[in-house]
Amino acid sequence: MITARRLIIIAAGLIGLWQLVVLATKAPPYILPGPWPVLQAAIANGSTLLHHLQTTGIEMVAGLLVGTLLGTSCALVMIIAPLLRRWLLPVLVISQAVPVFALAPLLVLWLGYGMASKIAMAVLIIFFPVASSFYQGMRRTNRDLLELARIMGARPVNVLRFIVIPAALPAFASGLRVATAVAPIGAVVGEWVGSSAGLGFYMLHANARMQVDVMFAALALLSAVSLVLYFSVDYLLDKLIYWQPTQGVTHE
Amino acid sequence: MIPSAIHLDAVSLTFRDGSRLFDGLTMNVAAGRCTCLLGPSGCGKSTLLRLISGAADCHLDGRLRFDPDPPASVRCAWMGQDDLLLPWFSLLDNVLLGARLRGTLDRDHTERARELIAEAGLAGYEQALPAALSGGMRQRGALLRTLLEERPIMLMDEPFSALDALTRMRLQNLSCRLTTGATVMLVTHDVMEALRMADRIIVLGGTPVAIKTQLDLAGTPPRRPGDPEIIRHYEPLLEILLSEAP
C-alpha cells in the first residue's frame, strides 16, 4: 500500500506541474484555471459539491457492492455447476462485447433518472473483472491440494469453503482492485446521460455555465473520493488475504 | 486402526493414450511394515502409489487387493514431496485439515494434534502460518497431518527429497518413530533413505516395468548411517539403480 507521505508528495508534484502548465501556456482561466482559483471555487461551492458527492459516492459504493456480489455469485455458480458454466461462460464473454457506455441511455430510459440507472451502470462495469478473476482463481486451485482433499474423504462443500475459495482470493483481489478503480466511471457516465444530482451532473451543469474552475473542483473531489475508495478496498483486501506477507519472516 | 496389507496380482496399467506402464506386475506389501519403492525416474513408482490411493487416471487389468479391506474413503493417507500446507491455515489447523474437510473435527482431534505437534518438536508454533515456518517445519506439519488421518495405509511420495541432508535425517527418524506399526509405502530416489527407513525394499525397473529385486532388511528402522545392514546393501542397490537408469 502506498504510504501517506508518498501520496502527499505525488499530489504536490501533480499540483506543481499543473501550475507550471498554466504559467507556461498562459491559458485563460476559462480554459485552464490554476490550482488556487480551483481551491477557491471548491471552498465557495463546498456545500453544493458535498451534496452531489453524496449521490455519486452512494452510486459508486452500491455499484461496487452489488457488482462484487453478482460477480462472485456468478463465478461460484460456474464452479459448482459445470453444465451451467458451459452456457454461462459464453454469455459472460458476449456481454463484454457490448460497449457498456452505449447502454447508458437505455439504462436511464429503463431505470429512470434516479440512482438506480447509475448503480446499474457501475454494476455492469464491475461485474466482469470480479467474476472473471474469481472464477479463474478457483479454476486454478492446485490439483495436488484437490487430490489430497479427495484422498482425505472431504465433503465437496468443505473443499470449496476451506480450499478453493481461499485459494482464489488473491486472484479475486486483483479483479476487485481493477473494478474499484473503474467504479466511478460507471456512476459518472450514468450521470452525464441523465440525472438531477451527482458530481457528473454538476460538472455538466458547470460546463454549460463556463464555470471551468467549478468543473475542476468537482473533478478533483471525484478523484479524491475514488482514491479513498480504492485504498479502503486495498486495505480490506490486505486484511482478508492475511497470509500473503509483504515481508518474509521464517523461524529456524 | 488396523494396518492393511496390499496385494497386486498381475496388474497391468493402460493410460488414456493407450500406453502401458506395468505388464502383469505382482507385488505384496506386508501390513504394519514400511516398504520402500526404489527405481529410476519415470519407472512408475509414483503412479503405483496413485493407483493404490485410487487417484490414477488409467485402466487397470489384474487385481489390487487390500487385507483387511477398509472402505476406499478411509483407506489411505497421502504425503507428497510438496508439503501442501494451506497458507491461510495455522500449523494446528493444517494438521487438523482432514477432520475439518470431512466435517468431523472435535476436541479429541485437536488434543491429539497438539500432542503430535509437541512430539514433533513444534510446540509453540501451533498458531504460526506456514509462511513463517522453515521447509523442515512445514514438512513435519505435513507428516503430522498424514499421521492424524490414522489410516490403514500411508502412502509417501518422496516426502523428504526437497530438504537438506540434516533436516531430512531428522524427519526420517521422526517418521519412523511415529509410523511404527503402520503400513507405509515410501517412494524414494535415495538409496540411503530407503535403507534407513524400510523393512523391505523393492527395486523397480525395465520396460515394461517389473520388480528387479527385493530384499528384507534386518533390524528396526531408523537405522544409523553406519548400520551393517546399510553398509552391506548400499553398493549393490546403487549398482542396480545405475544399470537401470536411462
Side-chain angles (χ1 to χ4, degrees), chain A residues 1 11 26 42-43 46 48 52 71 86 89 94 114 117 119 129 141 148 160-161 175 204 211 214 246:
Chain A
M1 197 170 156
K26 295 187 175 105
I43 292 166
T48 314
H52 290 292
R86 274 182 229 155
L89 202 57
I94 290 166
S117 54
I119 292 171
T141 306
L148 180 70
L160 193 68
R161 181 178 163 199
L204 276 188
Q211 294 173 320
V214 177
T246 46

Side-chain angles (χ1 to χ4, degrees), chain B:
Chain B
M1 180 265 298
I2 303 163
S4 292
I6 308 165
H7 304 289
L8 285 88
D9 302 327
V11 164
S12 302
L13 281 187
T14 311
F15 291 101
R16 278 186 176 179
D17 61 2
S19 60
R20 282 172 88 83
L21 184 60
F22 304 121
D23 199 2
L25 181 72
T26 296
M27 182 188 289
N28 294 303
V29 174
R33 307 188 75 197
C34 177
T35 302
C36 270
L37 290 180
L38 270 175
S41 291
C43 78
K45 305 182 297 292
S46 297
T47 306
L48 193 58
L49 280 203
R50 290 171 61 79
L51 175 76
I52 292 166
S53 78
D57 184 19
C58 51
H59 176 72
L60 170 79
D61 289 316
R63 286 188 69 194
L64 171 62
R65 295 183 293 117
F66 301 93
D67 182 23
D69 190 4
S73 60
V74 292
R75 188 185 290 146
C76 301
W78 177 275
M79 183 180 176
Q81 187 176 340
D82 293 331
D83 56 67
L84 293 179
L85 296 186
L86 300 180
W88 44 89
F89 275 170
S90 67
L91 176 68
L92 178 64
D93 285 335
N94 267 296
V95 173
L96 289 166
L97 181 68
R100 192 180 292 280
L101 288 176
R102 288 186 295 276
T104 58
L105 184 61
D106 59 22
R107 189 176 287 180
D108 289 346
H109 278 106
T110 310
E111 279 174 17
R112 173 79 181 125
R114 284 187 186 279
E115 283 169 18
L116 280 173
I117 286 171
E119 212 172 331
L122 293 170
Y125 292 105
E126 289 88 348
Q127 298 309 322
L129 292 176
L133 302 174
S134 69
M137 293 163 98
R138 285 200 294 270
Q139 206 62 1
R140 262 183 279 175
L143 177 64
L144 300 183
R145 181 186 61 201
T146 313
L147 287 168
L148 200 70
E149 290 294 277
E150 296 186 333
R151 299 290 174 92
I153 298 166
M154 284 181 63
L155 304 171
M156 302 170 89
D157 189 6
E158 301 183 46
F160 312 125
S161 59
L163 303 173
D164 65 85
L166 278 176
T167 310
R168 192 185 311 154
M169 194 171 279
R170 272 195 222 125
L171 272 177
Q172 287 164 354
N173 294 344
L174 179 72
S175 176
C176 288
R177 189 157 53 82
L178 296 177
T179 59
T180 305
T183 303
V184 177
M185 261 192 105
L186 172 71
V187 163
T188 180
H189 287 289
D190 185 348
V191 176
M192 180 60 86
E193 183 167 90
L195 287 166
R196 290 196 75 230
M197 294 184 70
D199 293 302
R200 165 179 274 196
I201 293 175
I202 298 174
V203 181
L204 297 175
T207 313
V209 177
I211 295 176
K212 289 289 145 186
T213 187
Q214 49 187 324
L215 55 101
D216 289 300
L217 299 162
T220 310
R223 295 177 191 85
R224 289 176 297 103
D227 189 291
E229 202 66 351
I230 292 182
I231 292 166
R232 188 155 67 96
H233 292 295
Y234 186 80
E235 275 199 28
L237 275 175
L238 209 56
E239 286 298 325
I240 295 170
L241 284 174
L242 285 170
S243 67
E244 288 297 325

Side-chain angles (χ1 to χ4, degrees), chain A residues 176-246:
Chain A
L176 188 57
R177 283 189 180 100
V178 171
T180 308
V182 297
I185 298 174
V188 171
V189 168
E191 285 170 3
W192 283 348
V193 173
S195 65
S196 54
L199 286 174
F201 162 79
Y202 192 54
M203 282 170 77
L204 276 188
H205 186 265
N207 187 40
R209 283 160 179 73
M210 289 296 283
Q211 294 173 320
V212 182
D213 50 354
V214 177
M215 274 184 72
F216 268 78
L219 189 64
L221 197 57
L222 187 64
S223 305
V225 169
S226 301
L227 281 174
V228 169
L229 185 65
Y230 179 85
F231 286 117
S232 303
V233 169
D234 188 54
Y235 175 78
L236 289 175
L237 286 172
D238 280 349
K239 290 285 168 202
L240 181 69
I241 309 170
Y242 56 88
W243 61 89
Q244 286 201 313
T246 46

